[in-house]
Amino acid sequence: MENFEILMSYSPVVMLVLVYFIQLKIFVTPQELEKKHREILLDAEKRFAASISVNGLKEQIDEIKEKIDQIYNLFLTNNS
């Protein structure tokens, strides 16, 4: 009985704290969390390049550099 009285005396404070947490959205539902997760993934896809594409571009740039070096060497050997 004494515990019940203590609980009843602190119940307004507990309710106030819970309402405050709900207003600040401290507690979220799994659906809200999943929605935010999808938003973050879509934003990341828009802003950042995939490592596969970056590696493909690096390979293409390396090939271009090799071809330029070959053309440069051809000019040097023909002019000598």
Side-chain angles (χ1 to χ4, degrees):
M1 192 67 174
E2 186 178 314
N3 289 338
F4 183 72
E5 291 174 8
I6 293 173
L7 180 64
M8 290 307 290
S9 67
Y10 287 110
S11 64
V13 175
V14 171
M15 290 298 293
L16 184 67
V17 170
L18 284 175
V19 168
Y20 183 71
F21 283 162
I22 290 170
Q23 284 181 344
L24 290 179
K25 296 185 180 183
I26 301 289
F27 305 114
V28 293
T29 63
Q31 293 85 7
E32 291 172 334
L33 198 59
E34 179 62 29
K35 181 182 174 188
K36 192 63 173 174
H37 181 254
R38 276 187 261 121
E39 288 174 5
I40 291 171
L41 287 178
L42 289 173
D43 191 38
E45 286 177 4
K46 290 177 185 175
R47 290 182 182 215
F48 302 105
S51 62
I52 295 171
S53 356
V54 171
N55 289 337
L57 287 174
K58 283 182 181 179
E59 290 174 5
Q60 290 176 0
I61 290 172
D62 288 341
E63 289 175 8
I64 291 171
K65 284 181 181 178
E66 287 177 19
K67 289 178 182 177
I68 290 173
D69 286 342
Q70 290 173 356
I71 293 171
Y72 183 73
N73 287 337
L74 263 173
F75 280 132
L76 286 179
T77 56
N78 286 337
N79 287 337
S80 298

